Amino acid sequence: MQTRHKSATALLASLALLGLAISPATGYRGDAPPGSKLPDLPAPAEYFGFEMGDEGRLASFADISDYFETIAAQSPEVDYEVVDRTTDNNEYPILRMSSEENLNRLDEILATNERLADPEAMVAEAAAAGMEEEDYARKVAAGTVPVYYIEASIHATEVGNTQALVDVVHRLATEDSDAMNKILDYMVVLIVPSANPDGQQMVVDYFNETAGTEYNRVYPDLYHSYVGHDNNRDWFMFTQKESRTRVMLEQKYRPVVQHYMHQAGTNSPRIWTPPYDEPLSTAVDPIAISSSNALGQFTQRDLVAEGLKGVKSDDAYGILWNADVAGYGTFLGTSTFLTEIASVRDLAYPYTGDGVLEPVDKTMRSPLPYDSDTWTLKQIVQYATSAAFSGMNTVASDPQSWLLNNLYRVNMNSVDWEGGPYAYVVPSGQRDPYAVYDMMRIFDFGEVEIEQATAAFTAEGREFAAGSYILRTQQPLGRWVDQLLRIDEYPDSARKCADCPLIMPYSETTDNIALFMGVDVAAVQEPFETATRQVREIRQDRVQMPRPPGNNGAYILSAESYGLGRIIDDLQDAGVDTYRAAGPITVNGQEFAPGALMVPAGERGARGALTRAIRETSLPVYATAQMPETGAIKLADNTRIGLVRGANNMPGGWLMWMMDQFGTNYEVVEAADYANLSEKFDSIVLAPGISTDRLTTGLDTTKYPEEFAWAAGVPDAPQKLAEFAEQGGSVLALGSSSLTAASAMSLPVENITPADRAAFNVPGALLAQDYDTAQPATWGMPASWPTWFNNDAAFRLTGEGTSVSQYPAEGNPLVSGYALGAEALNGATNIASFDVGEGDVTIAGGHITFRTWPRASWTVVTNAIYNGAGTELTAEEMAGLFAKAGR
């Protein structure tokens, strides 16, 4: 590395010139510019054969990764690392860029930053040093540098940002200028070329493979194996591999800024930057959001000074209300810096409109409006590159304040925060121990301080048993705890003025994971005392199998856990016969509601299969010497499940993920399958979003390669589904597909959800629900528990059928979130079941599997796919069956 020619003082003295110095106009394409630190490194145009942003040209993710690895091999200021594998087992690469000195002491920098963000460490160290905490924090900060995190293309069709990062990385690595050296001297830049490498390969490789053909150039299906565009709606449940990789990076590097590089619609602002729109969560630290807004304004200034038109802020992206899009890092002290750049036609071709694109007047929010009817990929790359350098320059110009504010002060504020209850208590002994485990491991993965009571205690008049979990809110991640467990009340203050209309949320209005999962949680407002132990790791309780009850006996499991589906799947894989009690049963004094799982103890392999199955769920198993006297449903042998999801249907992708977690024996229904559905499937699930048009039209097979023929339309698909049910099949239709099923099978229902959003609007909230737990469709559900609703269908039955879940008969059903006029749903049916010929159909008007968040409702899915395919047996038939020899 060449010797630097300016001292740090001289560098800081030249800040007024740095805005020009970092302009993309600086020559760095083609031959290496004079003073290049890597004169032998090929520039992007030479390496790829075209410049980033050239019309119709996209560098593949594999080639970009190879280029970055090549740069790292030559530069002491660049590290390339594959930090993880993706869902499809591809590499997940990152780059670290900083001065050679900083990279050589990176472990020390990260350890220091971790200490700075640890209030307990700072207090103890300051006391030991005999210093005021603020003074000591400044001393610590002076010995380190902040981390600036840049991430591109989590949405794989937003290709321009990853292409732009090629230019950003090349310039940082090669240009020996004051601007580039300042960034590398005063920061560690952590670059994630794509937060969805699988999708980048799907989308860009498909684009390149279809060049010169008549096929559409945009990849037509989910650009992630499961969740597609929803992959940044997983930032609090952490279901996907890539989400968990991101969290591990956030925890290790503790960035002060995370720059998420996105693209938006063709007629959106040419580029959008913070300030964000309303609403703002009360749990978000004001420093983190103020810093985000300030960073956005600096970037707007720099882009306008560069003459880049169409920069806009505010009036969009009110993403700081929920944790699903605000992100986990926000609660670590990271400032979320979002840029949204307008897209072009077919990923890489100019877009031309009928007039000026996104015409706006010159205002405070748009000081330099765009004035052209055309927009190109080259402009996307230019705007993205300029925004990246602007953000980095802003932080590098004042690194100590970013360290002190975002790492030290945000976390110190959290331990003294009084904005939520004193603690949330998760009582022990809940109806669904698997749900408690599933929820608590989210907090564990998020590195929340978790305590567990070692003795019974009382708080605010409520008694809690030993073993209850305690999550105090006055801790570094206490705000995040409150964000995920509070009862949300959407703020009336989310308005531009007192008389202005309420701003609707960018995403949903609640993210209460306890209500999603069916876990009882108590918000305790006042401090209390109890003996506790620190929980180092959330582990499932070890459940002991009961003694073998003899060949005539049975093992019994309650239906009250959504984890029961996993048990059923495991037993079916092992070929073990299973039954579900049609009525309540009592076993050795233990009462079980209808739907209890009954496994004959004399069944070959039953005990071993059940022993293995409960390791995953920790559900208690009971034994009885005699099979209970009850009617039952004998589940089909290895129930064959078909999933109708259609191309690029995210709800169907989430269903695939959940079914894969449970080991469900399912296949996606293909166009060719409609010829004889009964031959291949016992039960069929219609994912939300499956409309009649989607079934009958589907993908145009003339515009896509043969590999997508599975998603072709089938003109008589609705009739084929009706025939499947009439011939004895079981159908479950979820969310909007309930209307498709109702139409196809002439179900006697009427959708009564008001269409006037001025009078009725429930944009993603939890509403009260009552369940008829004696009905097979809702076996195992609590008598009352909130359900997910997002302006979905709600029904009035007009003929023969069974309403198995309803909204309350009176009052406002809102439990958490926002609802306008929700009383219109009073008494309406959400879930209903019908006999159709020899088969049955269950419909759920609400999207009860939304992104797998409302896990408690998964019980309904389990019931529908297994019970409907089973065989009903009377108590007499069951008694006769198990009176046979050897049973």
Side-chain angles (χ1 to χ4, degrees):
M1 185 180 72
Q2 295 187 11
T3 303
R4 302 191 186 279
H5 301 293
K6 285 198 174 187
S7 67
T9 302
L11 284 172
L12 292 172
S14 64
L15 290 183
L17 301 175
L18 287 176
L20 294 175
I22 63 171
S23 167
T26 303
Y28 63 98
R29 296 190 177 101
D31 295 334
S36 172
K37 291 180 283 188
L38 299 175
D40 297 328
L41 178 74
E46 180 183 352
Y47 188 88
F48 295 98
F50 55 90
E51 289 187 352
M52 298 299 100
D54 277 0
E55 179 179 328
R57 305 300 299 272
L58 293 176
S60 73
F61 191 70
D63 288 346
I64 289 173
S65 298
D66 289 344
Y67 185 57
F68 287 163
E69 195 166 11
T70 298
I71 294 175
Q74 297 187 35
S75 173
E77 296 179 327
V78 185
D79 286 342
Y80 177 93
E81 182 184 0
V82 175
V83 293
D84 210 342
R85 309 295 296 194
T86 65
T87 299
D88 289 344
N89 201 35
N90 289 309
E91 293 182 345
Y92 192 111
I94 65 168
L95 290 91
R96 292 177 291 266
M97 302 190 73
S98 194
S99 68
E100 182 177 5
E101 177 188 355
N102 286 338
L103 291 182
N104 285 339
R105 68 183 190 104
L106 181 61
D107 288 346
E108 175 193 336
I109 288 171
L110 297 184
T112 302
N113 292 356
E114 180 68 26
R115 285 169 47 222
L116 196 59
D118 183 347
E120 186 176 347
M122 283 292 97
V123 170
E125 291 178 23
M131 297 177 64
E132 294 291 331
E133 291 164 14
E134 279 272 339
D135 293 339
Y136 183 77
R138 290 181 184 279
K139 179 181 178 181
V140 172
T144 187
V145 295
V147 174
Y148 189 100
Y149 175 116
I150 306 178
E151 172 190 286
S153 303
I154 188 171
H155 296 147
T157 52
E158 299 170 13
V159 294
N161 292 304
T162 294
Q163 307 290 304
L165 282 181
V166 172
D167 286 347
V168 171
V169 170
H170 174 262
R171 187 168 177 204
L172 275 172
T174 61
E175 184 181 310
D176 194 9
S177 66
D178 289 350
M180 297 304 106
N181 291 340
K182 184 187 74 166
I183 289 171
L184 296 177
D185 279 344
Y186 294 114
M187 290 195 310
V188 172
V189 182
L190 179 67
I191 297 176
V192 178
S194 174
N196 180 13
D198 295 344
Q200 273 293 285
Q201 294 187 47
M202 292 177 194
V203 168
V204 177
D205 290 356
Y206 176 85
F207 177 87
N208 290 330
E209 289 164 4
T210 55
T213 72
E214 294 184 357
Y215 291 135
N216 287 354
R217 304 299 302 281
V218 180
Y219 187 76
D221 201 9
L222 295 171
Y223 47 67
H224 177 278
S225 284
Y226 294 116
V227 300
H229 197 83
D230 269 354
N231 53 1
N232 69 331
R233 300 299 191 272
D234 187 44
W235 290 354
F236 69 101
M237 294 287 269
F238 309 140
T239 64
Q240 303 303 302
K241 189 75 168 61
E242 294 77 13
S243 303
R244 299 177 75 81
T245 301
R246 168 205 293 280
V247 169
M248 290 186 288
L249 290 173
E250 290 171 321
Q251 291 170 340
K252 177 178 180 179
Y253 289 93
R254 299 300 295 249
V256 296
V257 170
Q258 283 182 294
H259 181 176
Y260 300 139
M261 304 173 74
H262 283 253
Q263 287 173 227
T266 52
N267 284 308
S268 298
R270 297 307 90 192
I271 185 170
W272 183 95
T273 72
Y276 293 101
D277 204 356
E278 302 292 348
L280 176 62
S281 168
T282 56
V284 173
D285 187 278
I287 293 175
I289 186 60
S290 296
S291 299
S292 296
N293 289 339
L295 188 58
Q297 289 288 270
F298 275 117
T299 297
Q300 183 181 88
R301 179 204 65 180
D302 290 346
L303 269 59
V304 167
E306 197 176 315
L308 299 182
K309 299 177 180 180
V311 187
K312 194 173 182 180
S313 63
D314 201 0
D315 286 342
Y317 304 107
I319 67 171
L320 272 298
W321 172 251
N322 274 5
D324 64 321
V325 285
Y328 169 79
T330 300
F331 297 89
L332 292 176
T334 301
S335 287
T336 299
F337 177 36
L338 174 68
T339 51
E340 291 273 357
I341 301 176
S343 295
V344 291
R345 178 177 60 86
D346 291 341
L347 305 182
Y349 294 94
Y351 175 78
T352 301
D354 295 333
V356 171
L357 302 178
E358 209 259 330
V360 294
D361 294 330
K362 181 177 180 180
T363 67
M364 293 293 289
R365 300 181 185 92
S366 183
L368 184 63
Y370 197 65
D371 57 4
S372 171
D373 65 352
T374 301
W375 182 247
T376 67
L377 178 63
K378 184 76 76 176
Q379 288 174 289
I380 292 176
V381 169
Q382 180 187 17
Y383 278 55
T385 302
S386 294
F389 280 120
S390 173
M392 288 187 286
N393 177 62
T394 297
V395 175
S397 298
D398 193 10
Q400 297 306 299
S401 74
W402 284 89
L403 285 165
L404 285 168
N405 285 325
N406 287 61
L407 295 189
Y408 171 68
R409 292 193 178 105
V410 166
N411 287 283
M412 287 297 287
N413 288 348
S414 294
V415 298
D416 295 324
W417 184 58
E418 296 180 351
Y422 173 73
Y424 288 95
V425 179
V426 183
S428 62
Q430 302 215 18
R431 67 190 302 272
D432 188 352
Y434 180 66
V436 174
Y437 163 73
D438 216 11
M439 184 185 81
M440 291 305 300
R441 65 179 177 173
I442 292 173
F443 291 114
D444 186 25
F445 184 68
E447 297 188 342
V448 169
E449 296 172 6
I450 303 170
E451 299 171 72
Q452 192 169 32
T454 56
F457 67 98
T458 301
E460 293 185 345
R462 180 171 173 178
E463 295 183 358
F464 297 94
S468 298
Y469 291 112
I470 300 170
L471 303 168
R472 303 184 199 269
T473 60
Q474 292 187 338
Q475 58 164 300
L477 280 159
R479 292 173 182 263
W480 188 58
V481 170
D482 184 63
Q483 176 75 47
L484 297 185
L485 292 178
R486 69 186 185 186
I487 299 296
D488 286 303
E489 297 179 7
Y490 197 74
D492 188 66
S493 58
R495 305 173 188 271
K496 295 297 184 185
C497 66
D499 297 327
C500 292
L502 188 67
I503 298 170
M504 288 295 98
Y506 180 76
S507 58
E508 296 68 42
T509 64
T510 186
D511 47 15
N512 187 303
I513 61 173
L515 295 178
F516 286 151
M517 293 184 162
V519 178
D520 174 30
V521 173
V524 180
Q525 303 297 326
E526 298 300 324
F528 58 87
E529 296 292 334
T530 185
T532 66
R533 70 174 185 90
Q534 199 72 29
V535 177
R536 301 300 176 191
E537 180 182 2
I538 295 294
R539 297 179 180 177
Q540 291 170 293
D541 294 334
R542 291 188 177 183
V543 175
Q544 297 295 322
M545 284 288 289
R547 292 182 179 180
N551 285 344
N552 291 329
Y555 297 107
I556 310 296
L557 291 90
S558 169
E560 293 181 333
S561 172
Y562 64 78
L564 189 71
R566 176 170 288 196
I567 300 286
I568 293 173
D569 289 327
D570 288 347
L571 292 173
Q572 291 205 341
D573 289 344
V576 174
D577 285 348
T578 52
Y579 300 79
R580 300 198 68 182
I585 60 175
T586 302
V587 173
N588 300 329
Q590 180 78 27
E591 295 182 357
F592 293 87
L597 193 69
M598 304 185 297
V599 183
E603 186 80 16
R604 184 187 298 273
R607 185 175 179 87
L610 198 51
T611 301
R612 292 188 295 273
I614 62 172
R615 290 175 187 161
E616 301 171 339
T617 59
S618 295
L619 299 184
V621 180
Y622 301 86
T624 176
Q626 296 291 329
M627 178 64 73
E629 297 180 3
T630 180
I633 293 178
K634 181 185 183 299
L635 303 187
D637 296 335
N638 209 11
T639 307
R640 302 168 305 164
I641 299 158
L643 173 63
V644 179
R645 74 166 181 89
N648 200 27
N649 173 255
M650 288 179 286
W654 284 108
L655 283 168
M656 289 195 300
W657 180 82
M658 194 70 174
M659 289 180 177
D660 281 345
Q661 305 316 297
F662 276 22
T664 307
N665 177 28
Y666 79 96
E667 292 182 21
V668 172
V669 177
E670 301 185 359
D673 295 332
Y674 285 94
N676 194 339
L677 293 169
S678 298
E679 189 176 86
K680 193 167 184 179
F681 305 111
D682 300 311
S683 295
I684 289 178
V685 179
L686 273 66
I690 299 301
S691 63
T692 298
D693 181 68
R694 197 163 197 160
L695 287 173
T696 58
T697 304
L699 285 184
D700 183 346
T701 55
T702 66
K703 296 181 179 179
Y704 297 97
E706 179 64 25
E707 65 185 287
F708 299 104
W710 68 270
V714 178
D716 61 348
Q719 294 92 321
K720 292 295 186 181
L721 286 167
E723 290 173 8
F724 171 77
E726 290 166 356
Q727 294 167 6
S730 181
V731 176
L732 169 64
L734 300 164
S736 60
S737 74
S738 62
L739 299 171
T740 305
S743 174
M745 301 173 200
S746 300
L747 301 180
V749 295
E750 175 189 358
N751 178 18
I752 59 89
T753 300
D756 181 4
R757 290 292 166 264
F760 178 92
N761 192 14
V762 186
L766 286 162
L767 304 184
Q769 190 92 154
D770 298 323
Y771 297 90
D772 182 353
T773 59
Q775 299 299 324
T778 43
W779 280 345
M781 291 297 292
S784 297
W785 197 261
T787 192
W788 184 256
F789 190 90
N790 189 354
N791 291 326
D792 298 312
F795 299 110
R796 181 176 66 87
L797 270 60
T798 59
E800 189 172 348
T802 304
S803 174
V804 299
S805 82
Q806 309 85 29
Y807 298 98
E810 58 184 17
N812 186 349
L814 178 65
V815 175
S816 186
Y818 172 80
L820 171 67
E823 292 83 355
L825 302 178
N826 287 161
T829 290
N830 182 23
I831 304 172
S833 57
F834 305 87
D835 292 331
V836 176
E838 298 297 317
D840 66 89
V841 177
T842 300
I843 61 172
H847 190 158
I848 63 171
T849 57
F850 183 73
R851 297 178 186 157
T852 77
W853 294 359
R855 299 277 172 86
S857 299
W858 190 256
T859 293
V860 175
V861 178
T862 296
N863 290 336
I865 62 180
Y866 292 114
N867 295 348
T871 303
E872 295 184 10
L873 300 171
T874 66
E876 290 75 17
E877 288 171 328
M878 284 288 289
L881 184 63
F882 287 94
K884 295 180 180 179
R887 302 299 292 271

